[in-house]
Amino acid sequence: MNNIRLFFKESLSINFRSKLDKSQSHYLSKVMRINEGQNFSLFNGSGEWEAKIDLIDRGIVNFIIQKKLNLLLVEIPDRNQYSMPLRMLKIIMIT
């Protein structure tokens, strides 16, 4: 299996069928040059899954989930919920 991993925000399960968006489809088919019948990995908050390309139709990759590879032990936080406060330091100039 290739070490190609893509984030997929939808819920995944065995025998789940779906398609990738245009940019992810382009990356798989044109940049990584994988074809129908080949495998790649998808991951999300529930873990990592092995997917197989069913069909590439008009540049869009259709896939089916084959099996679950491993659990994700750390939940992926929503980047909109967290922020890091910035602390400003005062610089005093002595003249």
Side-chain angles (χ1 to χ4, degrees):
M1 185 174 122
N2 296 327
N3 288 334
I4 301 169
R5 297 177 70 228
L6 297 174
F7 179 76
F8 193 74
K9 63 183 173 183
E10 293 180 37
S11 179
L12 298 170
S13 62
I14 294 176
N15 295 325
F16 173 76
R17 292 177 182 269
S18 189
K19 55 186 171 184
L20 298 175
D21 64 27
K22 188 175 180 179
S23 65
Q24 288 180 325
S25 293
H26 172 79
Y27 176 74
L28 277 183
S29 63
K30 304 295 183 195
V31 177
M32 298 308 293
R33 296 182 184 200
I34 65 173
N35 300 309
E36 294 175 8
Q38 292 184 295
N39 296 334
F40 65 99
S41 296
L42 292 172
F43 69 95
N44 61 14
S46 67
E48 186 172 356
W49 302 79
E50 181 180 293
K52 180 180 178 182
I53 297 177
D54 269 346
L55 177 69
I56 301 175
D57 182 34
R58 297 182 197 154
I60 301 297
V61 172
N62 295 283
F63 66 88
I64 183 169
I65 298 296
Q66 300 288 310
K67 64 181 177 180
K68 189 165 192 170
L69 298 174
N70 58 36
L71 282 175
L72 185 65
L73 299 176
V74 179
E75 185 176 327
I76 298 173
D78 183 5
R79 66 184 173 120
N80 296 326
Q81 292 180 351
Y82 299 95
S83 62
M84 181 180 288
L86 298 176
R87 193 169 101 181
M88 297 190 65
L89 299 175
K90 292 183 180 179
I91 299 174
I92 300 173
M93 295 184 76
I94 300 172
T95 57

